[in-house]
Amino acid sequence: MKSVKKLLRNISVCSARHLPKLALAMLVMTLISYFFLAFAVTPFAAVVASNASSMRLFAAAGFSAFAVSVLNTVLQYGFFVLTLLLYTGKRAVLGHLFTGFRDFKRALTAALFFMLLYAVFTFALVFALGVAGSRLLSNTDFSQLLQNAAENSFSSERTSLLLAIGIALVLSFVVFALIYLCYGFAWFFLYENSSLSVRQALRKSAVFAKAQRMRFFVLCVKSCWRYALCAVLLTALSFGITGAASHPFFRSLQLFDPLFSMASTLCLYIAVIRVCIAFAAFYDEQSTNTVGSSGSSSLSSAGIGLS
């Protein structure tokens, strides 16, 4: 497996040079998603306020949440394009973040594919865990468990509940990462070839550098693990401060809780940005190698013909 040291240096240089612009683009993307998310949660708020169980309200809320997820995925198209342009030194402006809206038909189709794939794998995973959990906890009163967890900060029920939520979030992230590890390069293929169909782009992404998939995975991990670890530790500390306020140690840290939350979000943003740069770096390297190999083959063929 080829070393990734050169690519890691390039990622660090690109991150240091273009982090403000990429952070601004991610902030804009997040604000847009949160703005539409406010409309998505309105039906849920109506259900809670009225103590009703209207299927129409739940269906509307579910559809709105799905639409926000699709919107966020379409914006990811533009963010990947912006990252690639900045990495390769080409002209890049904040308007590139909305590339998916200029190529809306293909972007929407790809976004629906990503969301459908994510939903299927996540549902299968949750279903499997639910079946396993129901067998292990067949005699458990879940309402009593939740009540005990809410009343006692250091109860075993609260610890188990937080652990279950943490495992679910980690597994959900793993599903998302595996999908992008296989199909994330499709955004670059769609941008660089306007005549390419979404199916062709996804297929090309699936076979792109297939022999070096593990090398790319190592590149992504090495490019972000420090910031990701800091985000996890700071988030855990923030949850500890919030959930165990009665403990003297955590009560003394309550003043710094907003600071920990902000630092956690910042570390997470930097980790995501560096992973996107890793996608751009690997795509640029493999594309350059492919073009170079094609050029060498053409020259060799020409030389044989002349001889």
Side-chain angles (χ1 to χ4, degrees), residues 7 21 38 55 93 142 156 169 190 268 271 276 281 285-286 298:
L7 289 180
K21 183 175 288 187
M55 291 302 298
V93 295
F142 288 98
S156 59
L169 289 175
L190 289 174
L268 181 62
C276 290
E285 181 196 58
Q286 296 302 309
S298 301

Side-chain angles (χ1 to χ4, degrees), residues 68-235:
V68 171
S69 300
V70 171
L71 171 67
N72 188 61
T73 308
V74 171
L75 288 171
Q76 288 172 18
Y77 180 7
F79 190 80
F80 268 70
V81 169
L82 179 64
T83 305
L84 178 64
L85 294 176
L86 290 173
Y87 179 82
T88 54
K90 297 178 181 178
R91 181 178 177 273
V93 295
L94 190 60
H96 283 106
L97 181 63
F98 304 99
T99 301
F101 295 98
R102 291 192 289 270
D103 189 13
F104 189 71
K105 183 179 180 180
R106 294 193 305 167
L108 179 61
T109 304
L112 290 173
F113 170 82
F114 278 113
M115 293 307 304
L116 181 62
L117 197 62
Y118 179 75
V120 168
F121 278 102
T122 303
F123 176 79
L125 187 62
V126 170
F127 180 77
L129 290 175
V131 171
S134 63
R135 290 182 178 180
L136 292 173
L137 304 171
S138 56
N139 298 322
T140 302
D141 185 353
F142 288 98
S143 60
Q144 185 63 38
L145 185 147
L146 292 174
Q147 183 178 352
N148 293 339
E151 292 175 352
N152 190 349
S153 299
F154 292 97
S155 64
S156 59
E157 290 87 354
R158 187 182 185 88
T159 303
S160 301
L161 184 61
L162 290 176
L163 183 62
I165 294 174
I167 292 174
L169 289 175
V170 169
L171 292 176
S172 177
F173 172 77
V174 168
V175 171
F176 181 81
L178 289 175
I179 292 174
Y180 258 78
L181 191 66
C182 186
Y183 297 108
F185 294 104
W187 299 128
F188 299 140
F189 289 117
L190 289 174
Y191 177 72
E192 295 195 336
N193 189 345
S194 58
S195 63
L196 202 66
S197 69
V198 174
R199 178 179 295 181
Q200 291 171 327
L202 292 169
R203 190 175 301 168
K204 290 185 69 173
S205 178
V207 301
F208 182 72
K210 188 175 181 179
Q212 299 191 55
R213 192 76 69 188
M214 182 55 65
R215 178 171 175 257
F216 174 61
F217 174 75
V218 171
L219 176 67
C220 290
V221 172
K222 286 189 173 182
S223 65
C224 75
W225 73 269
R226 293 183 182 87
Y227 298 97
L229 181 61
C230 287
V232 170
L233 293 177
L234 289 169
T235 301

